[in-house]
Amino acid sequence: MDSATLHAAGIMAFLASPPFLLTLTVAVYWGALQLYCRTGTALLHPIPISIIVIISFLKFTGIEFEVYYHANGIINFMLGLSVVALGYLLHDNLEHIRGKEFSILVSVFAGSVIGVLSVIGLAILFGADKQVIASLQPKSVTTPIALALSENSGGIPALTRQHNRPVA
């Protein structure tokens, strides 16, 4: 191998390293958050901007999503803890929630229906076949339930499992 090839391989190894990918994720989100705070424009919300930047980076560099996902394992773990913290806060604020159960249930139901319909609509729009659509439909439920729903509706459970990753 010549030195240019070795140099390029070294750069790619660095770009695909867990410390770099974790730092990139935090830096991109922080930058997107700063942009959003300065502009106040809803179209520049940090989550979609971060997603666009990270996906573009992964596509440009050829880094597989699996590598990126595992490099950010600590973030995924912390997101799992944040769900527990949310449950704790909800429990602490039960007196504020009481009397609003109907509104909460309607909102959760509407959000779930819109989530499933948007996945189906996007899958159809992008030309996915029926088996893929059936595999993506149960995206809003826990993995064991999603797998059963996918299998019963003619989907591919392995694809559903890939889509419904465990948080931790």
Side-chain angles (χ1 to χ4, degrees):
M1 279 200 216
D2 62 7
S3 66
T5 304
L6 286 173
H7 182 70
I11 290 172
M12 283 308 300
F14 172 73
L15 293 178
S17 69
F20 178 80
L21 291 173
L22 180 60
T23 303
L24 176 72
T25 302
V26 173
V28 166
Y29 180 79
W30 181 83
L33 182 62
Q34 296 306 307
L35 178 66
Y36 176 71
C37 288
R38 288 193 178 137
T39 64
T41 304
L43 290 174
L44 296 178
H45 192 278
I47 298 291
I49 296 299
S50 298
I51 290 170
I52 291 167
V53 171
I54 296 292
I55 288 174
S56 299
F57 173 80
L58 294 177
K59 288 286 187 187
F60 179 75
T61 59
I63 296 171
E64 295 289 325
F65 177 75
E66 285 295 318
V67 172
Y68 175 78
Y69 180 79
H70 289 296
N72 285 283
I74 187 70
I75 293 175
N76 297 320
F77 176 74
M78 297 304 284
L79 287 173
L81 295 178
S82 70
V83 171
V84 174
L86 177 62
Y88 180 78
L89 291 173
L90 285 173
H91 182 267
D92 274 0
N93 289 288
L94 275 177
E95 66 275 0
H96 299 293
I97 295 171
R98 286 198 172 91
K100 299 174 184 152
E101 293 90 350
F102 181 74
S103 298
I104 293 170
L105 289 174
V106 168
S107 300
V108 169
F109 178 76
S112 298
V113 169
I114 290 169
V116 170
L117 292 178
S118 67
V119 166
I120 294 169
L122 288 170
I124 291 169
L125 179 69
F126 289 114
D129 64 23
K130 290 181 181 181
Q131 202 172 23
V132 172
I133 294 169
S135 302
L136 297 176
Q137 285 175 359
K139 71 174 205 77
S140 299
V141 296
T142 62
T143 301
I145 295 170
L147 292 174
L149 289 173
S150 175
E151 191 170 12
N152 289 336
S153 63
I156 307 166
L159 180 59
T160 304
R161 184 178 308 112
Q162 182 70 14
H163 185 67
N164 283 34
R165 294 173 185 269
V167 176

